[in-house]
Amino acid sequence: MSTTTVSSAMISSGVIPDVHRNDIINGGYLVNQENDTAAADDDYSIGDLFLHVGEAAVTTSLQTSGGPQGDRNFARINIDTANKQSGWVYFLSNADCQDYIANGKMSFGIKVKTVADKVIGTVRIGLLKWTGTADAVTSDVVATWAQDGTNPTLATSWSYENTPADVDITTSWARYTVEDVTVDADTNNLAAFLWIDDGTIAEDDQLDVTEWQLNPGSTVNAFSSPSKAAVLDQVQYYVEQLVSSAVVGQYLGSGYAWNVDNQTYPLYYRAKRTIPSGTISAAASWQITNRATSTDCASVAIGGFGISNATFATVGSSTITAFDPVILRAKTTAASILLDARH
């Protein structure tokens, strides 16, 4: 059993070793709000903060059994088009990069496997830096794909901080690490990038990943994750599925009828990294009700975004009385609202 000695000098300087630090949020896939199972290139997918990049769309899924530890969740890529490269990217915000720049080093670990009879042979891991405008990254990090020992050409302002090498994976879980990687002073964002290097990939081949770990320093820590409740709060700083798979009749909130046709509702959510965009389901999935009657929505819109609030607007019908308080509720299970402040 190893121990860490904390000196008075460390305490006074504020530099206390943190063997549990992990700057990748949701690295064990505790949270999966969107559950995007048909991931195109440059699409966020399983785990909400992990971006799929690839030459073609893939089927992605959250797996809840067969993980490396008990019921540890993991993400799976299922190749849908033969011989098309694919991978995952995780971005680190500029604010979270400052300790890496100060330390001058970073280290990374991840658990990976493939599936019998659906074998991916080799992956590679790249730790990337972004020198463009902070937090305004080009999310599709690959400009030109390559394979069989040749690394992809990265998009402008992205570069490899390490020298990616072959990682030959098996059908058993194993941890692979990249350690003691120099972090340059001109770094504005960092990213961890894992991709399939095989040149020959069969349709339906599968790649499984979990336990993403990134920390400052010359050695990678053991994988660490906060509780699911804490992870949910961290994820929702970037993206929040405010309503999903709604219960019919579920109330979203109350508002005000400006006239017989138009209603507005304040919408509150967890404060975001930056002002988010919003995506809402079709009008047919929503309904308005007042003291006496209910009416289907003819149209819906969301706007007036702030860090933690927006305005939901509906067009109802003349059955709603002007100046009445109104309630917005789900008419169908398709009702959904997504707030997105990811990179």
Side-chain angles (χ1 to χ4, degrees):
M1 178 177 176
S2 63
T3 60
T4 300
T5 301
V6 181
S7 68
S8 58
M10 288 177 176
I11 295 172
S12 63
S13 66
V15 182
I16 299 177
D18 187 356
V19 296
H20 298 295
R21 177 169 179 170
N22 183 7
D23 289 317
I24 292 185
I25 297 169
N26 201 26
Y29 295 99
L30 291 172
V31 174
N32 186 40
Q33 300 171 104
E34 281 191 280
N35 195 34
D36 179 5
T37 58
D41 179 39
D42 201 25
D43 268 359
Y44 281 99
S45 185
I46 303 303
D48 296 326
L49 300 181
F50 300 90
L51 187 84
H52 169 255
V53 290
E55 292 184 285
V58 295
T59 298
T60 54
S61 58
L62 180 72
Q63 302 292 312
T64 58
S65 63
Q69 175 178 305
D71 292 327
R72 174 87 74 206
N73 293 346
F74 59 96
R76 171 170 290 170
I77 286 177
N78 190 99
I79 297 297
D80 294 337
T81 306
N83 301 326
K84 296 297 184 182
Q85 312 302 123
S86 190
W88 297 107
V89 182
Y90 181 94
F91 300 105
L92 206 63
S93 292
N94 176 263
D96 294 329
C97 290
Q98 300 313 304
D99 285 354
Y100 291 80
I101 297 169
N103 185 286
K105 296 289 184 178
M106 63 177 164
S107 295
F108 174 79
I110 190 170
K111 286 190 177 176
V112 186
K113 74 173 182 67
T114 187
V115 179
D117 301 321
K118 301 179 180 182
V119 174
I120 299 292
T122 305
V123 299
R124 285 192 166 202
I125 297 167
L127 299 183
L128 315 183
K129 76 167 180 178
W130 168 259
T131 54
T133 303
D135 291 333
V137 301
T138 299
S139 56
D140 192 351
V141 299
V142 175
T144 306
W145 283 92
Q147 63 276 324
D148 289 336
T150 301
N151 295 322
T153 301
L154 300 178
T156 301
S157 298
W158 283 112
S159 59
Y160 295 102
E161 288 284 70
N162 67 317
T163 302
D166 287 354
V167 176
D168 296 324
I169 63 175
T170 71
T171 56
S172 298
W173 287 107
R175 192 185 201 214
Y176 304 97
T177 62
V178 179
E179 297 182 300
D180 197 33
V181 176
T182 298
V183 179
D184 299 323
D186 62 349
T187 299
N188 287 326
N189 290 90
L190 293 168
F193 175 31
L194 180 143
W195 72 95
I196 298 167
D197 183 61
D198 293 355
T200 301
I201 309 169
E203 184 178 334
D204 206 35
D205 280 357
Q206 293 179 350
L207 176 70
D208 297 339
V209 300
T210 192
E211 295 192 8
W212 296 67
Q213 170 73 37
L214 181 69
N215 54 264
S218 297
T219 57
V220 66
N221 295 338
F223 173 72
S224 181
S225 172
S227 68
K228 184 174 181 177
V231 171
L232 178 62
D233 184 64
Q234 292 174 326
V235 170
Q236 290 184 341
Y237 179 63
Y238 292 89
V239 60
E240 182 174 356
Q241 189 83 55
L242 197 62
V243 178
S244 176
S245 300
V247 175
V248 173
Q250 176 184 343
Y251 290 117
L252 175 67
S254 59
Y256 183 77
W258 292 99
N259 52 47
V260 296
D261 294 320
N262 299 281
Q263 305 83 33
T264 57
Y265 315 80
L267 188 65
Y268 300 101
Y269 41 83
R270 192 253 193 258
K272 297 290 176 281
R273 177 187 71 88
T274 188
I275 292 175
S277 61
T279 304
I280 56 177
S281 56
S285 62
W286 300 100
Q287 193 173 61
I288 311 159
T289 183
N290 66 0
R291 293 170 297 177
T293 188
S294 298
T295 185
D296 295 345
C297 293
S299 67
V300 292
I302 187 171
F305 290 100
I307 291 293
S308 59
N309 63 282
T311 299
F312 196 109
T314 61
V315 173
S317 72
S318 56
T319 59
I320 298 294
T321 305
F323 312 120
D324 257 6
V326 289
I327 293 173
L328 179 67
R329 67 185 185 186
K331 182 186 177 185
T332 74
T333 57
S336 67
I337 302 174
L338 181 76
L339 291 309
D340 192 346
R342 291 172 291 198
H343 293 99

